[in-house]
Amino acid sequence: MPTLTQSDVYTINANEARKRDLRLEIARIKGQLDASAALSRAAAEVNSATLVKKSALEQELVQLESAGAAPGSSDDWGKYSTVEMVGQDERFYAKDKGYDWLVFNPLATFEQTVAEFEKYMLEQRTAFGRPWLLQRGDGLIREWQANAAARGLITEDSWPAFRDWLLGVGKDRAVGATN
C-alpha cells in the first residue's frame, strides 16, 4: 500500500466531507420533491371534486332557468323590491298632489299638510285596491324636510322655513330635489 502524505489525507477527508454534504442535500431535495408530489396529488383531488360540484351546480341552475319562474315570483327582484316601489309611488303621488294643495294653502300648518298628504297617499293606494298606507304622512314630510336641511336648502329645520322654501322654488325643484 502506498504511503499517504498529509496532503493526501486532507484531500481524502475533504472529498468524504463533500460526499456527505452532497448526500445530505440530495436527501433534503428528495424530501421536498416527495412533499411537493403529495401536495400536487391533494390539490388535484380538491380540483377534481370542485369541478364535479361546479358542474352539478351549473346543471341545477340551467334546469331552474329553463323551467322558468312561477308567475310573479321574480317581479320584485332587483334594485328595489315591490314594497319599495309601491312606497315610492305612494310618496311621489303624495308629494305631487300635496304640493299643488300647498300652493292654494300657503299658510297651512304642519298638521294640516300631513292630513292632506295622507289623504293623497291613501287615494293612490286605494286606486290599486290596497286601502292602507305603507308610511305615515308626518314621517314623509319630516324626512323630506330633514333632507332639505341636510342639503343646506333651508337655513332653519322648521316647518314654516321648509314650507316657504317649497313654495318659493317651484314644484319641479321642490318635488324633485329632496325625494
Side-chain angles (χ1 to χ4, degrees):
M1 169 140 166
T3 325
L4 297 175
T5 65
Q6 187 174 4
S7 175
D8 292 338
V9 173
Y10 286 136
T11 303
I12 292 170
N13 286 339
N15 286 340
E16 289 301 318
R18 180 67 183 143
K19 287 189 229 176
R20 188 177 56 248
D21 290 345
L22 290 173
R23 284 186 192 104
L24 181 63
E25 188 65 23
I26 291 169
R28 205 174 296 145
I29 290 172
K30 282 183 179 179
Q32 290 172 345
L33 289 172
D34 290 346
S36 175
L39 287 172
S40 293
R41 283 190 301 276
E45 289 174 15
V46 169
N47 285 344
S48 178
T50 303
L51 285 173
V52 168
K53 185 169 185 166
K54 177 183 170 259
S55 294
L57 293 173
E58 287 173 340
Q59 286 176 345
E60 183 180 353
L61 178 61
V62 166
Q63 288 173 345
L64 289 173
E65 287 177 339
S66 67
S73 67
S74 62
D75 294 346
D76 61 355
W77 292 94
K79 184 173 180 183
Y80 298 110
S81 69
T82 301
V83 174
E84 176 57 29
M85 295 302 292
V86 169
Q88 285 182 13
D89 290 345
E90 184 180 284
R91 261 190 333 272
F92 296 162
Y93 185 86
K95 284 178 160 182
D96 181 60
K97 298 294 183 185
Y99 185 89
D100 293 340
W101 176 85
L102 192 59
V103 168
F104 290 104
N105 300 280
L107 298 176
T109 65
F110 177 78
E111 292 76 17
Q112 291 168 326
T113 307
V114 165
E116 286 300 313
F117 269 62
E118 285 191 357
K119 179 179 89 174
Y120 295 125
M121 292 161 70
L122 190 57
E123 179 180 297
Q124 191 274 341
R125 295 284 291 145
T126 303
F128 292 96
R130 303 217 169 118
W132 55 83
L133 296 179
L134 293 178
Q135 32 202 348
R136 304 303 309 182
D138 66 333
L140 171 61
I141 294 172
R142 287 181 200 281
E143 187 65 21
W144 194 12
Q145 178 179 318
N147 288 341
R151 292 181 179 147
L153 301 174
I154 56 176
T155 55
E156 178 186 321
D157 191 5
S158 69
W159 168 247
F162 182 56
R163 178 191 60 208
D164 293 346
W165 177 82
L166 288 172
L167 294 171
V169 297
K171 184 176 183 176
D172 287 342
R173 181 156 183 233
V175 173
T178 55
N179 286 329

